[in-house]
Amino acid sequence: MYKRERSLPGKSKREFRARSVRAGTGKAMFGYIVPCKKQLGEADSKIFGSYYCGLCKAMGRQCSQLSRLGLSYDASFLAMVLSAVTGEEHEEREERCIVHPLKKRPCIKRDTSVDYAACTGVMLMYLKLLDDVRDEHSIKALFAMSLMSGGARRARKRYPDEYAYIKKCLDELSAVESENDYDIDRAADCFARILQRLFTPDFITDKNTRRALDWFGYNIGRWIFVLDAVNDLEKDYRNHEYNPLLGDFDGGDISAYREKCAKELEVSLTYTLGNAASSFELIDIKRNGSVLGAMIYDSLRLKQQAVLNKGDNNGSI
């Protein structure tokens, strides 16, 4: 699917390869799993917010205060799913923070899943920045990486196997990109396996649950990667950056080509979300079923529509 070993129209293969190692390695994970506030409602939005704020606090506690700059909805979703699976007793406290100094907000505390998501989220962000520095010589990424390096080291000590696995998959993805391999399935598989691993931590031991979470994480990862490729197609073409969807582009109107790709991939993306939803239904959810259901069945679908239709695809929907 979309596989072709050649450079883009009007650009030499040597020139393109020099700038191609990028799409998906760093920018993929973040910004696609966002809560749709209208669909969640007030009560569920408050629950999601308690995990988001709890994750921010956990990043500071488990990693470093500066690592809280890598806070994301995506890691909050990971924390909430795993917390719902374990059903572990935790605390919920009203606390202030530097962003909200006047009004206390609910925070989930003493939850293994939240602490795990904090560490893995920091590691993934750090390795993304490391990849940007290595492949793009980005000064901005180097500065951000320096801010998060201490937290990443602490997270790596707690989860060395996860760190090594994330790095391995990102290195494989960089190899796909440096080869100018336009097989989107091969590229997406590298990133999907990262989410597959992160959704199956060692503290979840039931085999059937792990099997369902394994397939759930893989499909969420694949969905994120392919949707990101569509979203960034025009920008990547303008910046001479790798994008697996550019393999079949022979020149002409890049906007029209993006629209063509969006239509062709809509069925595949919907099918991938369906696989994730089917896996979710096999999991014994012990808490927060309403908010997770709204996220999986509504928020992600609406996010997909927004990206494919070139709508507002930044931040909460």
Side-chain angles (χ1 to χ4, degrees):
M1 179 179 181
Y2 291 102
K3 183 174 182 179
R4 187 168 299 178
E5 296 276 353
R6 57 176 173 77
S7 58
L8 297 182
K11 303 171 180 64
S12 70
K13 182 170 289 190
R14 181 177 180 181
E15 173 193 3
F16 184 60
R17 279 184 173 169
R19 305 182 61 180
S20 68
V21 184
R22 172 170 177 134
T25 52
K27 54 185 181 173
M29 170 68 172
F30 309 101
Y32 293 94
I33 299 180
V34 294
C36 177
K37 295 179 179 179
K38 292 182 180 179
Q39 294 292 331
L40 290 184
E42 183 176 351
D44 286 343
S45 293
K46 184 177 179 180
I47 293 172
F48 188 89
S50 68
Y51 278 90
Y52 185 77
C53 293
L55 180 71
C56 182
K57 295 281 188 177
M59 292 171 79
R61 186 174 61 255
Q62 297 288 321
C63 304
S64 70
Q65 294 301 317
L66 288 174
S67 67
R68 295 165 73 180
L69 296 170
L71 179 66
S72 69
Y73 286 137
D74 313 78
S76 303
F77 179 72
L78 172 64
M80 180 174 287
V81 170
L82 297 181
S83 179
V85 171
T86 66
E88 176 187 14
E89 290 188 11
H90 57 213
E91 298 179 18
E92 182 176 325
R93 299 179 185 174
E94 297 277 338
E95 296 185 355
R96 293 186 177 89
C97 71
I98 191 171
V99 178
H100 304 102
L102 301 179
K103 184 178 180 180
K104 291 184 177 181
R105 292 175 177 260
C107 297
I108 299 297
K109 311 282 284 188
R110 300 183 183 278
D111 189 309
T112 301
S113 299
V114 174
D115 292 344
Y116 168 81
C119 289
T120 53
V122 168
M123 291 190 297
L124 185 56
M125 175 62 77
Y126 176 80
L127 288 170
K128 170 254 192 257
L129 294 169
L130 179 63
D131 186 77
D132 286 349
V133 171
R134 180 186 63 190
D135 296 326
E136 302 172 26
H137 308 292
S138 170
I139 300 300
K140 181 179 178 181
L142 179 63
F143 175 73
M145 190 180 74
S146 68
L147 297 179
M148 300 190 69
S149 60
R153 282 195 300 269
R154 293 182 64 185
R156 183 179 182 177
K157 288 181 180 179
R158 289 183 170 88
Y159 299 100
D161 292 342
E162 283 77 4
Y163 183 94
Y165 191 83
I166 294 171
K167 187 176 186 305
K168 172 179 174 290
C169 290
L170 292 180
D171 287 344
E172 289 175 6
L173 183 53
S174 287
V176 171
E177 296 168 351
S178 63
E179 295 167 5
N180 276 359
D181 186 340
Y182 293 102
D183 185 344
I184 192 170
D185 293 319
R186 182 187 173 199
D189 177 73
C190 297
F191 186 76
R193 284 187 282 113
I194 295 177
L195 274 289
Q196 184 179 38
R197 177 63 176 265
L198 296 186
F199 273 95
T200 52
D202 292 341
F203 57 81
I204 295 177
T205 57
D206 180 76
K207 291 183 179 180
N208 291 331
T209 301
R210 288 182 64 84
R211 188 179 298 113
L213 284 170
D214 180 280
W215 191 231
F216 177 79
Y218 184 90
N219 281 279
I220 290 293
R222 185 185 190 282
W223 177 81
I224 289 172
F225 185 93
V226 176
L227 192 63
D228 180 69
V230 176
N231 194 33
D232 289 345
L233 183 59
E234 293 178 75
K235 178 172 67 68
D236 289 338
Y237 176 71
R238 289 194 300 268
N239 294 335
H240 303 178
E241 293 171 354
Y242 172 90
N243 187 308
L245 297 180
L246 287 171
D248 276 2
F249 183 56
D250 293 315
D253 188 344
I254 187 64
S255 296
Y257 180 72
R258 181 201 185 278
E259 184 178 348
K260 174 178 177 289
C261 289
K263 289 180 179 179
E264 290 179 351
L265 288 169
E266 183 173 10
V267 172
S268 176
L269 285 164
T270 301
Y271 180 75
T272 302
L273 272 187
N275 283 339
S278 297
S279 301
F280 176 75
E281 291 169 2
L282 297 175
I283 302 169
D284 180 18
I285 298 297
K286 298 178 176 63
R287 61 161 67 101
N288 305 329
S290 175
V291 60
L292 288 174
M295 289 286 294
I296 293 167
Y297 295 107
D298 295 320
S299 293
L300 300 188
R301 176 180 54 83
L302 291 172
K303 183 68 175 181
Q304 176 180 307
Q305 291 177 352
V307 171
L308 295 182
N309 297 326
K310 298 188 71 171
D312 178 13
N313 48 44
N314 294 309
S316 301
I317 300 175

